Amino acid sequence: MVVIMKPGTKPERIHALVEKLEQDYGVKVGITNGVGCSILGLVGDTTEIDINKLSINEDVERVMRVQEPYKKANRKFHPEDTVVDVGGVKVGGGSFTVIAGPCSVESEEQIIEVARDVKEAGASLLRGGAFKPRTSPYSFQGMGTPGLDLLLEAKEATGLPIVTELMSPKFCELFEEKVDLVQIGARNMQNFDLLKEAGKMTKPILLKRGLANSYEEWIMSAEYIMAAGNENVILCERGVRTFETYTRNTLDLSAIPAIRRMSHLPIVVDPSHAAGMYWMVEPLAMAAAAVGADGLMVEVHNDPPHAKCDGQQSLTPEKFQRLMDRITPLVDLMGKKLS
Ligand code: PEP
Ligand code: MN
């Protein structure tokens, strides 16, 4: 961190600030005296320093961070890729993991049929929402706890570990017991109480990018989970809001190489919620694999026209099979192994 002092600040006031910074935060401060003004260079862990608080010091002209405000998720301090184990399935570090299943669990027949189909096509994790974050309170809100039990039945029938969304801290215990990968949805990416509770869980977390959040804000949310004790976080790019209305969201493919440079956490792509249209899912999935994603999350439904949620963007099992057939050689070309 660099602190530029106002021109003409008296040396004793500069020294008082240096002493305070060193004492309060345990950093080392070097002073460079330029023409008319002095610059302080802070070395050490500056993550706890509040820039805004420091900026209101009347002797301070400007404060700039040179180091990112996240530490645990930062690749600088953890150069090798993190590999997250989801019920025996490895995510990250050379694997390409496909998560597939319906938007929401609707019935025993539906989830078991889809689970069998996606497994046969090559998916290694089963998704399905039991608690659904819906824009309208009149829309289907998910089956709730019985939906979780149906996911467990589908897991028993296929061996696929399960991924489902946690919306409230009050269900942490239930999810801890039943779910293999706990999803935090886009709408809750900055629900800090939820993030802190997820950080106390032992199950890995799939953290989706918020509807309009920057890479840094997203990584800071991962940092919340990690700082609370859970370092098994997988990031999921699912498109962001832009001026374009043709698609549901705009898939931000730049996020993959950018996050790869900023963080050691695995990153997967959800082309279904990005596109909002089934026919765009395959090309976006191919593009995600080509920019180096660690996997995909794809919505698959056995009867999309009658789906209770997101049928318009769901692939039929046949279309999903085709996607898997086409993406497999690309995954190989990218030097990854389908897990
Ligand atoms: C989902 O995956 O079911 C979902 C609701 O996605 P998002 O949070 O990305 O909108
Ligand atoms: Mn959905």
Side-chain angles (χ1 to χ4, degrees), residues 114-130:
V114 176
R116 289 207 165 109
D117 287 343
V118 298
K119 182 181 175 164
E120 202 185 308
S124 51
L125 298 173
L126 173 68
R127 66 150 285 148

Side-chain angles (χ1 to χ4, degrees), residues 244-270:
E244 183 54 69
T245 53
Y246 187 86
T247 44
R248 183 173 181 179
N249 291 288
T250 298
L251 182 62
D252 178 10
L253 286 170
S254 310
I256 292 89
I259 293 289
R260 175 98 49 235
R261 178 179 279 235
M262 296 165 83
S263 176
H264 51 86
L265 297 174
I267 177 165
V268 301
V269 168
D270 171 352

